[in-house]
Each structure stands twice: as structure tokens, then as C-alpha cells.
């Protein structure tokens, strides 16, 4: 009995152990089933994620067969509506580059590959730019089950970048090859960002120097005012404005600026096209001056004719009075006897009362007025003198000789104390002109220079006049240059106006240069210009046609 009891107890113990093992196995099986279920759910979720992801994603097994693919993948690669699941990737895309196949093999071995930019060429020759990443995915066992490819089609962005680059290259070619003066200016700082070769040549700076300076360095206007005008000039109704620019040499030129806004690498810049209009401005001033002189010339001629008659009567009457009071003619003596006063006493009385001096003063003033009237008549009178070939060099020598005895005690200048230098073109051909008129112009210029230098005593330089002749492009050029005080812009603009003078009262009529202008421009179809600045003397340039 005891043995039987012991055996029953042992059997119960073994049965309990078996039950425990069965329970453990059932628990393990349930856990396995839950795990398998979780893995299935995970795989299904991953497949769904891939399928409905907004990006281009494809999931492959180890044999590069499609397991899942996103709608975006199908659209980007032209596979919309096609069933690619289970198919070989290299059969779907037979033109996959070998380098990409090598990347797939490395990723199946555990590597992760990515590219920020790559290009895929289709059989028809078109190109597609891609940004991609390839990484492996693992099975439940931990083994690599295949790869996932993430793609982003960047073709539109790349084409835009290429188009922008091409546009910038075209802009650079047009910018640099243009003969127009062009600048790019930072509107915030006024710094010159870029300048084309034409601008560098015009301003006299290298490109490196141009890029280091402010626009105020070349523009007379403060850069705030200039930039405001450039912004305003973008209005199609006001797309141009005038300014004055300073070259590296210090020369100031008149310019016209057209402006627009451009964006370069995301930066807003002001694009300026600049045209030198100095010659045009000069021609406008000449035209205005000519029109003004023509209108004033007609007025002067009318005034001169009206003044000439009473003036002639005054001069004639003064001459008669002087003759009757000074000459011992029988008629004068007889008239004095009838009046009961000896003629000598009458003359002595008039001399004591300085009547003769007063009469001479009236006569001198009348003669001066007659010269003014004669000058005024030059404005409307065409030259009747016959032009003849003239040696200009000899004519200048004669003009200097005429001025050699010219002196003015009141102004304290003596032409003989002025240094005259000559630079004559010995090959100058004869110039067809009216010699007396050209001589009159040159003498007038020489006297003006002498008078101007007489008041320029502060510098201490010895007064000097330089005469030069040259032959240029069918014209004879005559230069009269002095080292006098020069003149400002305001005086230069009015210099050839009738009755304009910088001399003091009673020292000039203001008609000398006006008459000179008409002699050169109207009678000889030439030009007369002046180049002058305060403290730098004056240079008058006459050009006469040789034909």
C-alpha cells in the first residue's frame, strides 16, 4: 500500500508538470500569434503608407520586385493605371543605369544611399531630375527583406534654375558686350555692384575700383537724391532724367539716365543705362544762343537805325559849334564884331569855362555811341566783303602787331608786357575768309584776355597768351588761350549775348564777343567756343571751314 500511494503521488506531480508545460506552450503560441498578427498589421500599414504617401515611394523585395508603390511614384514615372506589383523593377524600367543597379545591390547588403540631385534619361531623350534616398527594410527575423526607394521629382525646379542661369548668362553677355554705359547699384547703400566695360572706360576706373565705390563718387547729386530719381524713373512716363557725372580725371559731363529694377540672385538692384549728352547739351545751348542772338539782332538793327539819325545830327551839330567857336574865319569875326565883342574874348571866355572840353566830351561820347550803333548793325547785316584765301598764321601775327601799342592807363595794363607764345601749323592751307573780319575777332579776343589778366594780380603769374593754329577734319582751328582768372559756368553761358559783360561800368559795351560770334557763325559758317573755369584761364577756339 505505501508503495501504491507513493506512486500515485508521483503521477499527480508529473501530471501537474505536464499541465504547466501545456499552459506555457499555449501562452507561447498565443504570443507568437499576436506577434505574427502585429507583423502582418505592420506590413499592411507599411504597404498602405507606401501606397498612399504623398511622395514618390516604392518598396521592393530582395529580387527587386515591387511590393508596394505610391500613387505619386506611378504619376511621376508615367505608370499611372499600370499594375506593377510583383513585377521586376528592371523590367518596368529597362533603361535603369548600371550605376543605380550597383546602388541597389549595396543597399540590399545593408547600406543607405542618397543623392540631392541626379538625372534620369528616358528612351525618347528627355531628362528627369530626381532627389532620392535608398535604404534597406528588415523582416521579422531581422534579415534584410528588400529596399525602399524615396524619390522627389525636382525637374521643374532644376529647369527653373537652368533657365535662370541661362538668363543670367544672356544678361551678362548683353551687359558686358553693350557699348552703352551700364551700372548696377544697390538701392540701400548706393554702392556700385557691377559695371560693364563701357562704363569702366567712360569713368576711367577698373572694374575692381568701380565695385568698391559709391555712386556718389561719380555723380554730382547726393546718392539719396540720385537713387530717388532712379526709382522714380521706372515710371514709363518719367523713365529718363538728366544728371552730371564726374570722371576719374575730374572732368564733369552731362548725362541722361534710364533706370529699371532687376533682381540678381534674389537681391533687388537698380539698373542704370547712362548716355553722355554733353555734346547734345552744348548744341542745345548753341541753338538757344543762336536763336536769342537772331531775335536780338533784329531788335538791335531796328534800334540802331532809329538811334542813328538823331546821333548823326548831334555829332554834326557839335562839329559845327566847335568850328564856329574855334576858327578865325571871316564869318566868325564878323559875327563877333556885330555883337560888340572881340572874337578873342569870346574864345578866352569859353576856354576859361571849359566849354571846349565839354563839347569835345559830347563829341567823344557821340562817337562812342556811333561805334555801338555800328556794332549793333552787324547783327542784321550780311557781309558784303569778298572772301579770299588767307594765311591765318600771318593774320594772327598782324593782329598781335595791332595790339602791341594797346594800353590802358586806367586799367593799368600794357599789351607789351604780355608774353605772347605761338604754336602755328606751318602746313596750314589758305583759309577762305574775310581777313579784316577775322582779324577784328582775334584782336577783340586778345584785348579781352589782356583786360582780364590785368585784374588777375593775386596769383603773381606773368600774363601770357598762347596762340595756336591747326588743321583738323576740313577745318582750320585757331586757339587763343590765356592764364587769366577764367570764368564760371553762369558767365560762360551768357558770354556771347549782346550787352553782357563782366567788365565794370564804362569799361565795355558787351558787344565785342557778340559781334565776333556773328562774324564766325553767320558770315563764315564756322564755330567759336570757350573752355574756361575759375582760376584756370580761358581758351577760345575758332573753327573755320577750309572749303
Amino acid at each position: 500500500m505505501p508503495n501504491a500511494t507513493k506512486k500515485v503521488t508521483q503521477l499527480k506531480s508529473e501530471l501537474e508538470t505536464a499541465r504547466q508545460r501545456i499552459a506555457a506552450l499555449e501562452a507561447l503560441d498565443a504570443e507568437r500569434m499576436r506577434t505574427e498578427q502585429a507583423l502582418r498589421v505592420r506590413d499592411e500599414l507599411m504597404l498602405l503608407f507606401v501606397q498612399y504617401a504623398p511622395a514618390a515611394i516604392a518598396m521592393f523585395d530582395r529580387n527587386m520586385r515591387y511590393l508596394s508603390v505610391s500613387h505619386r511614384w506611378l504619376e511621376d514615372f508615367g505608370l499611372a493605371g499600370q499594375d506593377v506589383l510583383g513585377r521586376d523593377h528592371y523590367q518596368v524600367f529597362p533603361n535603369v543605369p548600371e550605376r543605380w543597379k550597383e546602388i541597389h545591390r549595396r543597399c540590399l547588403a545593408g547600406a543607405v544611399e542618397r543623392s540631392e540631385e541626379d538625372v534620369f534619361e528616358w528612351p525618347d531623350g528627355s531628362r528627369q531630375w530626381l532627389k532620392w534616398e535608398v535604404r534597406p527594410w528588415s523582416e521579422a527575423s531581422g534579415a534584410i527583406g528588400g529596399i525602399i526607394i524615396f524619390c522627389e521629382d525636382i525637374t521643374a525646379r532644376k529647369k527653373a534654375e537652368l533657365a535662370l542661369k541661362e538668363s543670367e548668362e544672356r544678361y551678362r553677355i548683353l551687359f558686358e558686350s553693350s557699348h552703352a554705359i551700364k551700372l548696377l547699384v544697390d538701392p540701400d547703400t548706393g554702392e556700385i555692384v557691377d559695371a560693364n566695360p563701357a562704363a569702366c572706360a567712360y569713368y576711367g576706373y577698373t572694374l575692381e575700383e568701380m565695385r568698391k565705390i559709391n555712386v556718389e563718387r561719380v555723380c554730382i547729386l547726393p546718392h539719396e537724391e540720385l537713387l530717388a530719381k532712379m526709382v522714380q524713373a521706372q515710371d514709363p512716363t518719367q523713365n529718363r532724367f538728366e544728371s552730371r557725372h564726374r570722371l576719374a580725371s575730374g572732368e564733369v559731363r552731362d548725362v541722361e539716365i534710364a533706370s529699371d529694377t532687376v533682381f540678381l540672385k534674389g537681391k533687388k538692384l537698380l539698373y542704370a543705362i547712362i548716355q553722355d549728352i554733353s555734346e547734345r547739351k552744348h548744341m542745345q545751348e548753341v541753338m538757344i544762343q543762336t536763336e536769342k542772338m537772331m531775335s536780338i539782332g533784329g531788335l538791335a538793327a531796328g534800334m540802331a537805325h532809329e538811334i542813328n539819325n538823331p546821333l548823326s545830327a548831334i555829332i554834326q551839330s557839335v562839329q559845327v559849334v566847335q568850328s564856329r567857336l574855334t576858327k578865325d574865319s571871316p564869318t566868325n569875326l564878323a559875327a563877333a564884331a556885330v555883337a560888340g565883342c572881340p572874337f578873342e574874348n569870346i574864345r578866352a571866355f569859353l576856354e576859361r569855362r571849359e566849354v571846349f572840353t565839354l563839347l569835345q566830351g559830347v563829341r567823344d561820347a557821340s562817337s562812342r555811341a556811333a561805334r555801338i550803333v555800328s556794332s549793333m548793325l552787324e547783327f542784321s547785316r550780311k557781309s558784303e566783303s569778298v572772301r579770299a584765301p588767307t594765311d591765318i598764321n600771318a593774320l594772327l601775327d598782324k593782329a598781335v602787331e595791332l595790339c602791341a601799342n594797346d594800353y590802358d592807363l586806367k586799367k593799368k595794363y600794357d599789351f607789351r608786357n604780355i608774353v605772347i607764345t605761338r604754336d602755328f601749323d606751318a602746313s596750314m592751307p589758305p583759309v577762305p575768309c574775310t581777313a579784316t573780319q577775322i582779324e577784328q575777332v582775334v584782336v577783340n579776343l586778345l584785348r579781352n584776355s589782356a583786360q582780364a589778366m590785368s585784374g588777375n594780380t593775386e596769383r603773381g603769374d606773368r600774363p601770357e597768351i598762347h596762340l595756336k593754329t591747326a588743321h583738323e577734319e576740313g577745318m582750320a582751328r585757331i586757339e587763343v588761350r590765356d592764364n587769366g582768372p577764367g570764368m564760371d559756368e553762369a558767365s560762360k553761358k551768357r558770354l556771347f549775348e549782346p550787352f553782357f559783360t563782366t567788365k565794370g561800368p564804362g569799361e565795355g559795351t558787351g558787344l565785342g564777343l557778340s559781334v565776333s560770334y556773328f562774324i564766325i557763325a553767320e558770315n563764315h559758317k564756322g564755330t567759336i567756343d570757350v573752355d574756361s573755369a575759375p582760376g584756370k584761364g580761358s581758351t577760345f577756339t575758332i573753327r573755320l571751314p577750309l572749303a
Side-chain angles (χ1 to χ4, degrees):
M1 263 322 269
N3 289 333
T5 302
K6 185 176 180 180
K7 191 171 184 178
V8 168
T9 303
Q10 184 179 357
L11 288 172
K12 288 181 178 179
S13 176
E14 290 176 356
L15 181 60
E16 183 63 27
T17 300
R19 287 175 179 172
Q20 290 177 356
R21 287 179 178 176
I22 291 171
L25 288 173
E26 289 177 347
L28 287 173
D29 187 58
E31 181 64 26
R32 182 182 60 78
M33 292 178 66
R34 285 194 298 271
T35 301
E36 289 178 352
Q37 179 67 22
L39 289 174
R40 281 195 298 273
V41 171
R42 185 203 70 172
D43 292 343
E44 290 176 0
L45 288 174
M46 185 168 64
L47 293 174
L48 289 172
F49 168 77
V50 170
Q51 184 176 359
Y52 293 102
I57 304 175
M59 186 175 180
F60 302 88
D61 64 12
R62 292 191 61 82
N63 295 317
M64 290 303 294
R65 290 190 297 266
Y66 282 92
L67 296 178
S68 182
V69 62
S70 69
H71 295 297
R72 184 64 178 271
W73 178 285
L74 298 174
E75 292 174 3
D76 285 354
F77 291 101
L79 302 174
Q82 297 186 30
D83 184 10
V84 298
L85 296 181
R87 295 179 63 187
D88 188 305
H89 178 56
Y90 304 139
Q91 291 178 353
V92 176
F93 293 103
N95 57 327
V96 171
E98 184 60 35
R99 59 186 178 86
W100 283 11
K101 294 180 180 180
E102 178 60 29
I103 291 171
H104 298 160
R105 287 192 287 269
R106 289 200 299 267
C107 291
L108 286 169
V112 176
E113 302 277 349
R114 60 176 57 88
S115 173
E116 292 297 321
E117 180 183 307
D118 208 338
V119 65
F120 178 77
E121 293 190 6
W122 291 88
D124 63 1
S126 61
R127 311 179 84 190
Q128 186 175 17
W129 280 267
L130 303 171
K131 176 182 178 182
W132 52 260
E133 181 176 324
V134 184
R135 58 174 57 247
W137 62 272
S138 300
E139 296 177 336
S141 63
I144 294 176
I147 62 173
I148 298 178
I149 300 177
F150 303 85
C151 271
E152 180 184 353
D153 189 340
I154 59 172
T155 303
R157 187 187 76 188
K158 186 64 179 177
K159 287 183 176 179
E161 291 176 355
L162 292 174
L164 179 61
K165 183 178 180 181
E166 183 181 350
S167 176
E168 289 180 354
E169 288 177 354
R170 284 200 305 268
Y171 152 76
R172 175 57 60 184
I173 292 172
L174 292 173
F175 184 77
E176 293 186 350
S177 62
S178 174
H179 294 295
I181 303 164
K182 297 182 178 181
L183 296 178
L184 282 178
V185 181
D186 188 329
D188 298 324
T189 63
E191 297 294 325
I192 295 176
V193 176
D194 205 355
N196 69 341
C200 296
Y202 178 74
Y203 290 107
Y205 296 103
T206 65
L207 179 59
E208 291 72 20
E209 291 172 332
M210 289 292 289
R211 287 174 174 169
K212 293 178 182 178
I213 64 178
N214 193 288
V215 70
E216 197 172 32
R217 176 90 165 268
V218 299
C219 183
I220 300 297
L221 295 174
H223 85 264
E224 294 89 352
E225 183 178 348
L226 173 66
L227 296 180
K229 285 181 174 290
M230 290 175 72
V231 171
Q232 183 182 11
Q234 296 170 39
D235 182 349
T237 62
Q238 302 177 2
N239 62 345
R240 291 179 180 272
F241 66 95
E242 293 183 5
S243 180
R244 306 196 75 205
H245 280 195
R246 183 186 296 108
L247 310 186
S249 62
E251 182 183 1
V252 176
R253 306 285 290 177
D254 292 296
V255 298
E256 185 177 70
I257 301 175
S259 177
D260 201 354
T261 298
V262 297
F263 289 87
L264 189 62
K265 296 180 180 179
K267 174 67 175 177
K268 179 181 177 182
L269 300 173
L270 291 175
Y271 177 53
I273 302 177
I274 300 164
Q275 181 183 5
D276 190 309
I277 59 170
S278 298
E279 291 300 323
R280 189 177 81 189
K281 293 280 286 186
H282 174 70
M283 290 305 299
Q284 288 175 347
E285 291 176 0
V286 170
M287 291 174 65
I288 293 171
Q289 186 80 6
T290 302
E291 291 177 1
K292 185 186 298 183
M293 289 185 177
M294 290 176 66
S295 61
I296 295 179
L299 177 63
M303 293 175 58
H305 283 295
E306 292 298 326
I307 295 173
N308 212 21
N309 292 331
L311 189 60
S312 299
I314 293 173
I315 294 174
Q316 184 178 3
S317 298
V318 170
Q319 290 175 340
V320 171
V321 170
Q322 286 180 316
S323 175
R324 292 184 179 182
L325 295 178
T326 57
K327 293 182 179 181
D328 294 335
S329 64
T331 305
N332 290 342
L333 294 174
V338 171
C341 181
F343 186 71
E344 293 77 6
N345 294 346
I346 295 174
R347 188 159 51 192
F349 169 78
L350 295 175
E351 288 177 352
R352 184 177 295 272
R353 298 297 297 163
E354 299 182 349
V355 173
F356 294 136
T357 303
L358 295 175
L359 288 174
Q360 188 60 43
V362 172
R363 186 172 181 178
D364 291 343
S366 300
S367 298
R368 183 168 178 268
R371 288 194 298 272
I372 295 174
V373 169
S374 176
S375 296
M376 291 170 67
L377 286 173
E378 290 286 347
F379 288 120
S380 61
R381 181 182 301 150
K382 291 291 183 180
S383 174
E384 297 178 357
S385 301
V386 178
R387 297 185 194 179
T390 302
D391 184 345
I392 288 295
N393 296 338
L395 185 147
L396 293 182
D397 284 332
K398 183 178 178 182
V400 172
E401 184 180 348
L402 288 173
C403 293
N405 296 321
D406 187 20
Y407 66 93
D408 188 333
L409 295 177
K410 184 178 180 181
K411 293 288 291 181
K412 298 181 180 178
Y413 78 85
D414 188 340
F415 200 87
R416 293 169 295 184
N417 294 329
I418 298 175
V419 177
I420 304 294
T421 60
R422 296 170 174 84
D423 180 13
F424 292 163
D425 184 355
S427 63
M428 175 72 73
V431 180
C433 66
T434 303
T436 55
Q437 292 185 352
I438 301 302
E439 183 181 288
Q440 175 187 347
V441 172
V442 175
V443 168
N444 184 50
L445 295 179
L446 292 173
R447 286 176 174 168
N448 283 349
S449 293
Q451 292 173 359
M453 290 187 292
S454 68
N456 192 35
T457 57
E458 295 181 358
R459 289 174 52 184
D461 298 335
R462 186 174 180 182
E464 179 179 351
I465 297 177
H466 182 75
L467 298 175
K468 181 179 180 180
T469 61
H471 179 196
E472 59 174 31
E473 298 180 358
M475 304 287 281
R477 189 178 81 241
I478 304 170
E479 288 185 9
V480 180
R481 185 176 74 245
D482 64 52
N483 61 346
M487 65 189 81
D488 56 24
E489 286 295 324
S491 297
K492 282 171 56 178
K493 288 182 178 180
R494 300 189 59 193
L495 193 62
F496 296 109
E497 289 184 10
F499 309 112
F500 173 78
T501 179
T502 58
K503 301 172 185 176
E507 297 179 4
T509 63
L511 287 170
L513 287 177
S514 300
V515 173
S516 298
Y517 180 91
F518 270 86
I519 288 175
I520 299 299
E522 294 297 319
N523 295 350
H524 290 81
K525 307 304 177 186
T527 63
I528 179 169
D529 302 290
V530 61
D531 181 18
S532 182
K536 295 186 178 180
S538 301
T539 300
F540 285 85
T541 303
I542 299 170
R543 289 179 174 85
L544 298 172
L546 290 172

